[in-house]
Amino acid sequence: MRELVFALEYESGCNRVADALANHPGARVRSLSLHATAEQLWRVDHATGTPEALDAIEDAFLTSDYYADCLVTEDCGATQTTHILDRMDDTLVLYSDWERTPSCASVPHIARDHLGDGVLFETRHEGRHYTWRLIHSGEGDVAAFFDALEVAVGDCAQMEMLRTTEMTASVGGVDERQNRLSPDQEAALQAAVEHGYYESPREVDVGELAEHLGVPRSTLTYRLRRAEEHLAKQHVAGEKSPEETPATR
């Protein structure tokens, strides 16, 4: 089994969900379940954020031309139904069912074409960044998958490879994933340290650092956040010891 993780960074106006999330920093959408056949795609998504952010996300799913990850920039004629499964002040759960047309394209369907059946999908959407994690058999043509995806995305999004690795079992029986940051995350973190972003007080803010690196502010923020999350999880996992037991009286 192999793992592919990559991110799409949508340009303004190309994806209503991305626009809604970009207008509401801190809001996120992650997939709880995602399945695709040759003609259909259905998924359950869990959104978190302020009530205003959830209103915007709900509207993007219900009233726009956002056809459950369709990458076609114009109306592809697909039929989608979306239902609200749960709604609270800070959470929203949506079910979407999409019947594609010959002109439709999506990450799951392109993956089926080039990586075969049985691909597992996991997504996380925050700001204009849409991160995909795919688990597949390893027998497909990964290069052809990314070539086809790049053509389908066109000018609407920039694609960033985060990692691709073999899935192996560790001693504890847990899948061992790539234990390194992506090159872009590594470069962002190194620049942040070198330019005093983590000093107190900070010697540079994220906007200045982004300008120095020649990347959008949102892109740098995303890379630093993912790098910090990766390092924090590694640290906590390293602190845990299976031999430790709670003290008893």
Side-chain angles (χ1 to χ4, degrees), residues 13-87:
C14 286
N15 184 294
R16 282 279 305 279
V17 173
D19 290 341
L21 290 169
N23 291 332
H24 298 276
R28 298 181 182 183
V29 180
R30 62 182 177 89
S31 60
L32 298 181
S33 181
L34 198 167
H35 306 275
T37 64
E39 295 82 20
Q40 199 167 14
L41 184 150
W42 60 97
R43 59 183 297 162
V44 177
D45 289 290
H46 180 273
T48 58
T50 65
E52 294 76 16
L54 297 183
D55 287 341
I57 294 169
E58 180 178 329
D59 182 66
F61 271 86
L62 294 177
T63 65
S64 71
D65 293 333
Y66 175 76
Y67 291 124
D69 302 315
C70 187
L71 298 173
V72 177
T73 56
E74 299 180 355
D75 188 350
C76 65
T79 300
Q80 174 176 297
T81 57
T82 298
H83 301 282
I84 307 302
L85 299 183
D86 191 23
R87 174 69 191 262

Side-chain angles (χ1 to χ4, degrees), residues 116-215:
D117 293 330
V119 181
L120 302 178
F121 304 95
E122 179 181 294
T123 68
R124 179 168 52 188
H125 207 162
E126 52 185 300
R128 300 198 182 282
H129 294 269
Y130 197 6
T131 303
W132 285 82
R133 177 173 178 250
L134 278 58
I135 305 296
H136 69 104
S137 66
E139 298 178 355
D141 190 334
V142 174
F145 163 71
F146 280 113
D147 287 344
L149 183 59
E150 187 174 8
V151 171
V153 170
D155 296 330
C156 269
Q158 298 295 318
M159 189 162 53
E160 177 181 350
M161 171 61 71
L162 299 179
R163 66 177 178 268
T164 173
T165 185
E166 191 78 24
M167 301 291 290
T168 58
S170 67
V171 175
V174 180
D175 287 336
E176 182 182 333
R177 305 190 181 110
Q178 183 78 348
N179 211 22
R180 296 176 297 173
L181 301 174
S182 74
D184 288 325
Q185 291 170 351
E186 184 75 41
L189 198 62
Q190 182 174 344
V193 172
E194 290 177 351
H195 289 272
Y197 177 75
Y198 290 110
E199 298 297 327
S200 182
R202 283 179 173 165
E203 298 175 5
V204 65
D205 63 28
V206 69
E208 294 168 332
L209 188 59
E211 185 176 353
H212 171 77
L213 293 173
V215 299

